[in-house]
Amino acid sequence: MRDDPSLRGYLPRRDPAFHVPAASAATGGVALRAAADTTAGSPDVLDAYRVTKEPYYRPVADEVGLYEAAYSARMPMMLKGPTGCGKTRFVEYMTWKLGKPLITVACNEDMTASDLVGRFLLDASGTRWQDGPLTMAARFGAICYLDEVVEARQDTTVVIHSLTDARRILPLEKKGEIVEAHPDFQVVISYNPGYQSLMKDLKQSTKQRFGALDFNYPEHEVEAEIVVHESGVALDAAKKLVHIAEHARNLKGHGLDEGISTRMLIYAGSLISRGVAPLAACRVALVRPITDDPDMRDALDSAVTTYF
C-alpha cells in the first residue's frame, strides 16, 4: 500500500509566519484571518490572505503537477487522507506557488450557510452586508479551502454546488444578488475518510463536482527527512520516531482510532531537539495524545523503549 504512488503527502506544523498578520475574526464558528465589509473595495482586501513565505512541502509523487493542471482548468479539488498527513500544508504550498490568496474555513457542525455566504449586520450606521469567506473568495478571486468539510452539515455544504459546476455563480438570496465567480476562484475541500459514517459523509451530488487527490503518510526515509527539517532533531532520532509511528499505525482498528501522524512526530522531534529526554518527549507528543487505554499506552510505551 505504501508503494502506491497515488498515496502522498504529510503535514508538518503550521507556521503563522507564512501569512501576513491580520486581525482574527470569528463568525459563527468560521475561522478567518481577517474580516471586512467586502461589498465595496478592490482585490486589495485579499492581501491579508496571501501566503508570503514559501511553506516547506516535500513532494512525494505527482501531486504538485496534478494540482497545477486542475487549477488551470479551475477544477474544484478534494484532498482525502488521515489527520496530520499534509493536506493543509499542501494547499498552502500550492497557493504560494500559484501566487493566489488563500481563505481557510475550519468547518464544524454549527456552521450555517450564512457563515459561508454572508449576512446583514447592524452597526452605528445602520444595516450593512458583510460577505462571508466563500463569497469573498468568489468575488475577488481567492482559493477557498474548506478544511474537514464533512464536519459541516450537508444542508450547509450544498451552498457550494453552484460554484463547483459549469455555472460558477453564488446566489445571495438575502441580498438579491448573484455573484459570478472571479476567473481565479477555486474551491478546495479536505476530509479524513477514516472518520466517515452514514451520518457524516459528503453527498454524491457534492463529491462528483470535485477532482480528488489521496494523501497518506510518506515512505520511511522521506518522513524522517521531513521530521529533521521541521523539528531540527538529528536524523538518527527522526528515523527512530518514524519507526515508532509505523508501529502505531499498524494498530489502527486494533485499539487505536488513528495512528501517529507526521505532525506528532515533528512535535516529538521539536521537544527532543530542545533537550527533552526522548522517552519523555514521546510520551508527551506521541503516546498520551492518541489513547487513554492503559493497555494500549503500555504497548506504545514499550515500542518507544525499543528504539530509545
Side-chain angles (χ1 to χ4, degrees), residues 99-115:
K100 305 301 178 185
L102 173 65
I103 297 179
T104 300
V105 179
C107 297
N108 63 81
E109 62 184 7
D110 295 323
M111 189 173 71
T112 66
S114 293
D115 295 326

Side-chain angles (χ1 to χ4, degrees), residues 104-165:
T104 300
V105 179
C107 297
N108 63 81
E109 62 184 7
D110 295 323
M111 189 173 71
T112 66
S114 293
D115 295 326
L116 287 176
V117 172
R119 52 168 53 89
F120 284 105
L121 299 177
L122 289 173
D123 60 20
S125 301
T127 302
R128 66 181 177 88
W129 173 265
Q130 178 169 299
D131 282 346
L134 182 64
T135 305
M136 187 188 301
R139 192 187 297 278
F140 295 117
I143 293 173
C144 187
Y145 175 47
L146 305 182
D147 189 18
E148 295 298 341
V149 68
V150 295
E151 297 297 330
R153 301 194 309 265
Q154 292 182 343
D155 62 339
T156 297
T157 55
V158 73
V159 74
I160 69 177
H161 282 192
S162 61
L163 283 169
T164 52
D165 58 26

Side-chain angles (χ1 to χ4, degrees), residues 62-122:
D62 56 354
E63 67 270 30
V64 172
L66 286 173
Y67 185 91
E68 287 179 322
Y71 182 78
S72 68
R74 300 304 186 267
M75 179 190 298
M77 290 300 293
M78 177 193 313
L79 312 181
K80 305 193 302 183
T83 183
C85 73
K87 303 185 293 294
T88 299
R89 178 60 68 88
F90 174 74
V91 174
E92 291 183 333
Y93 173 77
M94 292 309 304
T95 53
W96 172 85
K97 186 176 177 63
L98 294 168
K100 305 301 178 185
L102 173 65
I103 297 179
T104 300
V105 179
C107 297
N108 63 81
E109 62 184 7
D110 295 323
M111 189 173 71
T112 66
S114 293
D115 295 326
L116 287 176
V117 172
R119 52 168 53 89
F120 284 105
L121 299 177
L122 289 173

Side-chain angles (χ1 to χ4, degrees), residues 193-206:
Y195 294 152
Q196 286 180 222
S197 67
L198 292 176
M199 298 297 293
K200 188 171 286 189
D201 194 9
L202 292 176
K203 295 180 179 180
Q204 283 297 323
S205 59
T206 301

